Amino acid sequence: LRESQKPVAEANYKLQRIHQIITGGEKDRPKISDARWAASYDLAMGRVLALGVRMEGYQRMLGNMSASPRSFTDPKSNMWNLVASDDIDTGPQMRKAAELAREYLKRVIDEHPNTPWAIMAARELSQPLGWSWKESRRAVPGMEGRDLSREEEARLLLADDERVETQRQRERSKPRQLPKL
């Protein structure tokens, strides 16, 4: 879980810098008279806020699971999946930011219908802003039909995950062959 948080934390830091820059122009937003500039500003602010809510929510969901692992309700489950959701369970600050993102994006759709900006805003709104954990079952490779204890099953799944990650690292460390020109 901690490893999964690292790249998101880096991207979130960069996103926060972009948000600060865009927020700097917010006080002058009412002064924008050109419809294209107004749509562009609202779309940019809505998208940055929406992405920030998604990224911060992802970080918090992983952190919460790491600090306090959930228990399965179904005894056959052996895996948790973090999936996009309309529910924002990461606090009131995230719910407020999500609502603000929706306001900006809806304003683009309402004030600039049938434009590329409205299409992009609608697309952004069609994606959930929150996250939720869904339990599932993953077959243990080579062990189908065997009666395994929860500990044995977890150990085998972890070993399989480690094998896959080792293979990925080998692939990443191989020198890339450049095409001949």
Side-chain angles (χ1 to χ4, degrees), residues 27-122:
K27 67 182 180 318
D28 292 324
R29 165 58 180 88
K31 297 176 188 175
I32 300 174
S33 58
D34 186 285
R36 289 181 181 203
W37 283 106
S40 293
Y41 180 84
D42 291 344
L43 179 63
M45 182 62 95
R47 292 180 84 182
V48 164
L49 287 168
L51 186 55
V53 169
R54 288 186 193 108
M55 292 175 96
E56 185 65 28
Y58 182 84
Q59 288 283 81
R60 290 184 185 186
M61 293 295 282
L62 292 178
N64 292 345
M65 180 65 100
S66 180
S68 178
R70 299 172 66 122
S71 299
F72 294 115
T73 56
D74 182 353
K76 294 180 182 177
S77 295
N78 64 3
M79 183 172 155
W80 286 104
N81 296 310
L82 188 55
V83 296
S85 169
D86 289 324
D87 297 329
I88 299 176
D89 297 330
T90 50
Q93 185 180 11
M94 287 296 99
R95 284 190 288 277
K96 183 178 176 182
E99 190 53 42
L100 189 56
R102 287 186 193 106
E103 285 176 25
Y104 273 101
L105 295 168
K106 286 177 184 174
R107 180 164 50 186
V108 172
I109 293 169
D110 294 343
E111 294 180 8
H112 311 280
N114 304 317
T115 65
W117 295 273
I119 292 168
M120 288 188 281

Side-chain angles (χ1 to χ4, degrees), residues 133-150:
W133 289 106
K134 300 289 181 205
E135 59 183 274
S136 64
R137 171 131 184 89
R138 178 174 154 198
V140 179
M143 296 292 154
E144 291 83 11
R146 287 192 171 178
D147 190 25
L148 301 173
S149 71
R150 300 284 280 171

